Structure formats: C-alpha cells, structure tokens
Amino acid sequence: MRTLISTAFVSLDGVVEAPGGESGYRNAGWTFKDIEFLPEAFETKGREQQEAAAMMMGRVSYEAFSPVWPGMEDFADYKVMPKYVVSTSLTEDALVSNWGETTILRSLDDVAALKRTEGGPIIIHGSATLNRGLSDAGLIDRYHLLVFPLLLGAGKRLFSDADKDTQHLKLVEHEAYANGLQKNVFDVVR
C-alpha cells in the first residue's frame, strides 16, 4: 500500500491559494511577502523530493507547475519521477513532454486503486480541491504543513467544511523558526 502525503504552504487560517504568486488571488505570493526567508525553514521541501517516489496534483496545479517546474533546478528530482494528475477534463494532448511520465487519473476511485499498488510515497503539491476530496474520502495518510504566521481571510482552504466525523492526527515532527513559520508533520490516525 502506498502512502499519500499532502504537502502545503498554509496560512494560520487554513488558506493555501496562490502561495507562489499565481494570478487571480488578491493575496497572491503571500509566502514571500514581508516574511524573512530562512533556508532551514524550507529544508523539508528538499527532503520531500528525496523521499517521494511519485507526485500527484490536480489539473489546476498541473497547469500552473508544468510550464515552470521542469526547468527549475530546485525541483530537479521531481522531473524524473512519475506524476499523476487527477482530472476529469485534462486531455493527454495537454500534457507537457519535458516533465517525465505523467498519468491522468479520472476519479478518487482511481487514486484509491493507485494507493493499493506497490511503491514508495506519493507527494501531493498544491491542489486545494484535490486535497479536500482526498481528505474527505480518507485517502491522505500524512500532512507536511509549513504554516505561515498570516491570516489571509478569503481564499481556497486546505480542508473542506464538510460535516464529517472527527479525523484524528498524530504530530510526528514539528519545528518553529525565527521568522514565525512552523513545520508540522501529522500522520492520519486510522
């Protein structure tokens, strides 16, 4: 059984929208505005690349990352690993050719079937809608959260507001940094 790991930059009030500056959100680029960059706070991002065996994302994140990440040295390890895009609308001809093997999954059932295969962890980047659906379906096994000391108000949230049973998490790693960022790694308790 494979492990699904959700990794996210998240504001203290749960917003994950446009952390890197994607257009269309009034607070776009919030991860680097007025917050001192400390390399040690982002160490976990390099470690994620080393530990992941594959990457998953939704269509919107794929369309944002695929034109940029294949050429970025910071994300070189992701270039060679298999990628899975969960989308009902993305077509094969829309996939980029310079980012390695990419498979389109059409449903959460397809994700559940992928989880049942042999292989290493699958890291989920961005993908607010996908994260909410996977969480509500009980498919996420671990959260890697880099929490920013910001309250952004409106914006896409990491977690849904679905009326569901309590889901318990176990804190397995944490650290606070001088710039106010907090790393929190949680395993989902089953």
Side-chain angles (χ1 to χ4, degrees), residues 174-190:
H174 63 91
E175 192 160 349
Y177 303 96
N179 61 359
L181 269 66
Q182 298 175 32
K183 173 178 61 179
N184 294 300
V185 178
F186 294 98
D187 281 342
V188 175
V189 178
R190 304 240 190 263

mmCIF file of all heavy atoms in Angstrom, residues 174-190:
data_model
loop_
_atom_site.group_PDB
_atom_site.id
_atom_site.type_symbol
_atom_site.label_atom_id
_atom_site.label_comp_id
_atom_site.label_asym_id
_atom_site.label_seq_id
_atom_site.Cartn_x
_atom_site.Cartn_y
_atom_site.Cartn_z
ATOM 1 N N HIS A 174 7.830 18.467 14.322
ATOM 2 C CA HIS A 174 7.453 19.875 14.353
ATOM 3 C C HIS A 174 8.676 20.717 14.671
ATOM 4 O O HIS A 174 9.643 20.259 15.286
ATOM 5 C CB HIS A 174 6.348 20.143 15.381
ATOM 6 C CG HIS A 174 6.756 19.849 16.792
ATOM 7 N ND1 HIS A 174 7.314 20.785 17.619
ATOM 8 C CD2 HIS A 174 6.699 18.704 17.499
ATOM 9 C CE1 HIS A 174 7.583 20.226 18.787
ATOM 10 N NE2 HIS A 174 7.224 18.965 18.740
ATOM 11 N N GLU A 175 8.615 21.941 14.200
ATOM 12 C CA GLU A 175 9.674 22.897 14.496
ATOM 13 C C GLU A 175 9.136 24.298 14.235
ATOM 14 O O GLU A 175 8.330 24.506 13.336
ATOM 15 C CB GLU A 175 10.905 22.633 13.617
ATOM 16 C CG GLU A 175 12.124 23.402 14.065
ATOM 17 C CD GLU A 175 13.419 22.806 13.543
ATOM 18 O OE1 GLU A 175 13.414 21.693 13.007
ATOM 19 O OE2 GLU A 175 14.444 23.495 13.677
ATOM 20 N N ALA A 176 9.586 25.245 15.047
ATOM 21 C CA ALA A 176 9.240 26.651 14.856
ATOM 22 C C ALA A 176 10.512 27.391 14.477
ATOM 23 O O ALA A 176 11.607 27.047 14.946
ATOM 24 C CB ALA A 176 8.644 27.234 16.130
ATOM 25 N N TYR A 177 10.379 28.392 13.627
ATOM 26 C CA TYR A 177 11.528 29.126 13.107
ATOM 27 C C TYR A 177 11.451 30.593 13.521
ATOM 28 O O TYR A 177 10.375 31.111 13.819
ATOM 29 C CB TYR A 177 11.586 28.983 11.587
ATOM 30 C CG TYR A 177 11.652 27.533 11.164
ATOM 31 C CD1 TYR A 177 10.504 26.842 10.797
ATOM 32 C CD2 TYR A 177 12.864 26.847 11.171
ATOM 33 C CE1 TYR A 177 10.553 25.508 10.436
ATOM 34 C CE2 TYR A 177 12.918 25.507 10.810
ATOM 35 C CZ TYR A 177 11.760 24.842 10.452
ATOM 36 O OH TYR A 177 11.823 23.510 10.103
ATOM 37 N N ALA A 178 12.587 31.256 13.489
ATOM 38 C CA ALA A 178 12.693 32.643 13.944
ATOM 39 C C ALA A 178 11.804 33.600 13.150
ATOM 40 O O ALA A 178 11.417 34.646 13.655
ATOM 41 C CB ALA A 178 14.150 33.108 13.883
ATOM 42 N N ASN A 179 11.456 33.249 11.905
ATOM 43 C CA ASN A 179 10.600 34.120 11.102
ATOM 44 C C ASN A 179 9.109 33.862 11.328
ATOM 45 O O ASN A 179 8.262 34.429 10.647
ATOM 46 C CB ASN A 179 10.951 33.986 9.615
ATOM 47 C CG ASN A 179 10.744 32.583 9.090
ATOM 48 O OD1 ASN A 179 10.358 31.667 9.813
ATOM 49 N ND2 ASN A 179 11.008 32.401 7.800
ATOM 50 N N GLY A 180 8.776 32.993 12.278
ATOM 51 C CA GLY A 180 7.383 32.724 12.610
ATOM 52 C C GLY A 180 6.788 31.516 11.915
ATOM 53 O O GLY A 180 5.676 31.092 12.257
ATOM 54 N N LEU A 181 7.490 30.938 10.926
ATOM 55 C CA LEU A 181 6.985 29.742 10.263
ATOM 56 C C LEU A 181 7.035 28.561 11.221
ATOM 57 O O LEU A 181 7.896 28.502 12.100
ATOM 58 C CB LEU A 181 7.807 29.408 9.019
ATOM 59 C CG LEU A 181 7.329 30.017 7.699
ATOM 60 C CD1 LEU A 181 7.470 31.508 7.711
ATOM 61 C CD2 LEU A 181 8.089 29.424 6.544
ATOM 62 N N GLN A 182 6.110 27.642 11.015
ATOM 63 C CA GLN A 182 6.082 26.405 11.782
ATOM 64 C C GLN A 182 5.971 25.232 10.832
ATOM 65 O O GLN A 182 5.153 25.251 9.918
ATOM 66 C CB GLN A 182 4.872 26.363 12.712
ATOM 67 C CG GLN A 182 4.830 27.425 13.754
ATOM 68 C CD GLN A 182 3.526 27.347 14.530
ATOM 69 O OE1 GLN A 182 2.956 26.288 14.726
ATOM 70 N NE2 GLN A 182 3.040 28.493 14.969
ATOM 71 N N LYS A 183 6.804 24.222 11.060
ATOM 72 C CA LYS A 183 6.682 22.966 10.310
ATOM 73 C C LYS A 183 5.920 21.999 11.207
ATOM 74 O O LYS A 183 6.274 21.788 12.356
ATOM 75 C CB LYS A 183 8.061 22.394 9.980
ATOM 76 C CG LYS A 183 7.993 21.012 9.355
ATOM 77 C CD LYS A 183 9.351 20.462 8.984
ATOM 78 C CE LYS A 183 10.241 20.323 10.195
ATOM 79 N NZ LYS A 183 11.560 19.772 9.881
ATOM 80 N N ASN A 184 4.854 21.446 10.655
ATOM 81 C CA ASN A 184 4.056 20.443 11.371
ATOM 82 C C ASN A 184 3.831 19.257 10.457
ATOM 83 O O ASN A 184 3.289 19.414 9.356
ATOM 84 C CB ASN A 184 2.698 21.031 11.781
ATOM 85 C CG ASN A 184 2.837 22.136 12.794
ATOM 86 O OD1 ASN A 184 3.356 21.915 13.872
ATOM 87 N ND2 ASN A 184 2.382 23.316 12.437
ATOM 88 N N VAL A 185 4.271 18.095 10.893
ATOM 89 C CA VAL A 185 4.063 16.857 10.139
ATOM 90 C C VAL A 185 3.132 15.974 10.966
ATOM 91 O O VAL A 185 3.421 15.648 12.120
ATOM 92 C CB VAL A 185 5.387 16.134 9.840
ATOM 93 C CG1 VAL A 185 5.142 14.822 9.109
ATOM 94 C CG2 VAL A 185 6.324 17.032 9.037
ATOM 95 N N PHE A 186 1.996 15.618 10.363
ATOM 96 C CA PHE A 186 0.977 14.827 11.037
ATOM 97 C C PHE A 186 0.721 13.527 10.270
ATOM 98 O O PHE A 186 0.572 13.557 9.047
ATOM 99 C CB PHE A 186 -0.366 15.566 11.083
ATOM 100 C CG PHE A 186 -0.372 16.815 11.911
ATOM 101 C CD1 PHE A 186 -0.217 18.069 11.322
ATOM 102 C CD2 PHE A 186 -0.566 16.750 13.277
ATOM 103 C CE1 PHE A 186 -0.257 19.219 12.072
ATOM 104 C CE2 PHE A 186 -0.599 17.903 14.044
ATOM 105 C CZ PHE A 186 -0.437 19.149 13.454
ATOM 106 N N ASP A 187 0.644 12.431 10.980
ATOM 107 C CA ASP A 187 0.124 11.185 10.410
ATOM 108 C C ASP A 187 -1.370 11.123 10.702
ATOM 109 O O ASP A 187 -1.813 11.524 11.790
ATOM 110 C CB ASP A 187 0.794 9.959 11.038
ATOM 111 C CG ASP A 187 2.184 9.688 10.461
ATOM 112 O OD1 ASP A 187 2.501 10.214 9.366
ATOM 113 O OD2 ASP A 187 2.939 8.945 11.103
ATOM 114 N N VAL A 188 -2.132 10.626 9.736
ATOM 115 C CA VAL A 188 -3.557 10.425 9.946
ATOM 116 C C VAL A 188 -3.720 9.142 10.754
ATOM 117 O O VAL A 188 -3.166 8.098 10.409
ATOM 118 C CB VAL A 188 -4.309 10.326 8.600
ATOM 119 C CG1 VAL A 188 -5.774 10.004 8.808
ATOM 120 C CG2 VAL A 188 -4.146 11.631 7.814
ATOM 121 N N VAL A 189 -4.469 9.229 11.846
ATOM 122 C CA VAL A 189 -4.715 8.068 12.696
ATOM 123 C C VAL A 189 -5.919 7.321 12.151
ATOM 124 O O VAL A 189 -6.982 7.905 11.953
ATOM 125 C CB VAL A 189 -4.971 8.506 14.161
ATOM 126 C CG1 VAL A 189 -5.286 7.307 15.040
ATOM 127 C CG2 VAL A 189 -3.765 9.274 14.689
ATOM 128 N N ARG A 190 -5.734 6.063 11.898
ATOM 129 C CA ARG A 190 -6.835 5.239 11.340
ATOM 130 C C ARG A 190 -7.410 4.345 12.407
ATOM 131 O O ARG A 190 -6.799 3.850 13.249
ATOM 132 C CB ARG A 190 -6.343 4.390 10.181
ATOM 133 C CG ARG A 190 -5.692 5.248 9.095
ATOM 134 C CD ARG A 190 -6.395 5.098 7.782
ATOM 135 N NE ARG A 190 -5.638 5.733 6.722
ATOM 136 C CZ ARG A 190 -5.882 6.950 6.267
ATOM 137 N NH1 ARG A 190 -6.828 7.662 6.795
ATOM 138 N NH2 ARG A 190 -5.193 7.458 5.295
#
